[in-house]
C-alpha cells in the first residue's frame, strides 16, 4: 500500500515565503504558484513589480 502525502495551505505558504526570499536574493520579481499533484493551484502570489501577465502564464 502506498501513502500519498498532500500539500496543505500551510505547507504552500512556507514554500511561497521561501520562493519569494530566493527571488529577492537574486533580484527578480516573480509570480509564484504552488500547485497540488493535479496541477491545481493551492496558493498564488504576485510580487510587487512582477509582470501582470505572469498570473495567466
Amino acid at each position: 500500500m502506498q501513502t500519498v502525502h498532500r500539500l496543505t495551505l500551510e505547507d504552500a505558504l512556507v514554500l511561497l515565503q521561501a520562493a519569494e526570499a530566493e527571488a529577492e536574493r537574486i533580484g527578480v520579481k516573480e509570480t509564484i504558484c504552488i500547485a497540488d499533484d493535479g496541477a491545481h493551484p493551492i496558493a498564488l502570489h504576485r510580487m510587487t513589480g512582477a509582470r501582470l501577465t505572469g498570473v495567466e502564464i
Side-chain angles (χ1 to χ4, degrees):
M1 176 180 273
Q2 292 182 335
T3 301
V4 177
H5 298 280
R6 304 230 185 257
L7 287 174
T8 64
L9 177 58
E10 292 75 23
D11 297 330
L13 293 175
V14 171
L15 294 170
L16 278 178
Q17 288 176 340
E20 183 174 11
E22 180 63 12
E24 288 178 354
R25 186 186 73 77
I26 63 174
V28 296
K29 301 295 183 187
E30 292 292 341
T31 298
I32 305 161
C33 182
I34 308 299
D36 65 14
D37 58 345
H40 303 286
I42 297 172
L44 178 76
H45 174 63
R46 186 174 60 85
M47 295 172 64
T48 301
R51 295 180 311 151
L52 293 175
T53 57
V55 174
E56 286 83 24
I57 295 171

